[in-house]
Amino acid sequence: MSERTIALVTGANKGIGYEIAAGLGALGWRIGVGARDQQRRDTAVEKLRAAGTDAFGVPLDVADDASVAAAAELIADRVGGLDVLVNNAAITGVMPQMPTTVDPATVRAVVETNVIGVIRVTNAMLPMLRGSASPRIVNMSSSVGSLTLQTTPGIDIGPISAAYVASKTFLNAVTVQYAKELSDTDILINSGCPGFTATDLNGFRGVRTAHQGAAIAIHLATLPDDGPTGGFFDDAGTVAW
């Protein structure tokens, strides 16, 4: 492993993912920019490099086994290891998503990216993360996945969603299960909520900038060795499950 911290950010070609890459790069880290679209990926890498970040592109489709395996091999060959993984890539799926009328294919596609994709990428990168002195995994979730907030009268978390919202609840549960299994390792894994951030995921209706939305991921990626694991956090602190 290099003495320089190495991070992979999925979905890093735009929005919150790009800002996470930029924020971690500003710390002097080497950043793998994971993205499906080659042109957008190359553009993001060029922009990051122009700003002084040591960035490199990682072709990555989190919903494809072969793509993820190839990404892990590329990182191992190019930089020799990995210290931090930020699972940021996500989709909303076709809306509306009323549970009584939603197309099961929509639910399947959203879960494939937002949950199974996280498992797929995490497991592919774990051998390298286990070799790190201070490994961190950040799963970008959302407070809309909080069952507490979903069921508290008077709290509006947005439209009913049997795919996207449910996928974030699912992701939070998976994060906890990883933390339990990895409790005897140095790996800290947590879910982070960026807040209602203006991105193409929500038609730029959010009230926070992508830079603001990236702050929680940067915080969780840089936790000290005695930091929390298996938690759910936003900028204000702990988010209720």
Side-chain angles (χ1 to χ4, degrees):
M1 286 287 291
S2 165
E3 290 186 5
R4 177 177 291 186
T5 300
I6 301 165
L8 170 65
V9 182
T10 70
N13 61 295
K14 60 183 177 179
I16 295 173
Y18 176 85
E19 292 297 335
I20 294 170
L24 296 177
L27 301 176
W29 292 15
R30 194 168 193 184
I31 308 298
V33 177
R36 292 179 297 178
D37 187 283
Q38 180 179 348
Q39 183 175 349
R40 290 178 177 177
R41 184 176 64 246
D42 290 347
T43 298
V45 169
E46 291 173 6
K47 186 177 177 182
L48 287 166
R49 286 178 177 170
T53 292
D54 185 359
F56 62 99
V58 181
L60 180 57
D61 180 351
V62 303
D64 182 83
D65 289 339
S67 175
V68 172
E73 185 175 355
L74 183 153
I75 293 169
D77 290 345
R78 178 156 185 172
V79 295
L82 189 67
D83 300 290
V84 174
L85 169 63
V86 181
N87 287 305
N88 169 74
I91 62 173
T92 56
V94 178
M95 301 295 280
Q97 295 175 358
M98 291 293 183
T100 58
T101 57
V102 68
D103 185 341
T106 295
V107 180
R108 186 177 297 112
V110 171
V111 171
E112 182 66 49
T113 294
N114 297 3
V115 182
I116 299 174
V118 169
I119 295 172
R120 183 180 287 114
V121 173
T122 299
N123 291 350
M125 305 301 163
L126 265 177
M128 289 186 287
L129 289 167
R130 290 181 185 276
S132 171
S134 298
R136 304 287 180 265
I137 301 172
V138 182
N139 292 336
M140 289 302 283
S141 184
S142 171
S143 60
V144 302
S146 164
L147 292 174
T148 298
L149 297 179
Q150 289 179 39
T151 56
T152 299
I155 294 181
D156 180 12
I157 61 167
I160 296 171
S161 167
Y164 179 75
V165 166
S167 77
K168 293 305 183 181
T169 306
F170 193 171
L171 176 60
N172 288 343
V174 167
T175 301
V176 171
Q177 298 309 305
Y178 269 111
K180 287 177 177 289
E181 181 182 355
L182 299 173
S183 62
D184 61 346
T185 75
D186 294 326
I187 298 173
L188 303 182
I189 178 169
N190 294 283
S191 288
C193 171
F196 190 31
T197 302
T199 68
D200 58 1
L201 207 68
N202 57 41
F204 297 95
R205 291 179 290 108
V207 296
R208 288 165 59 85
T209 66
H211 177 77
Q212 291 172 320
I216 186 60
I218 295 168
H219 169 69
L220 294 175
T222 57
L223 287 173
D225 290 342
D226 61 351
T229 191
F232 186 17
F233 304 96
D234 63 11
D235 288 351
T238 300
V239 180
W241 293 115

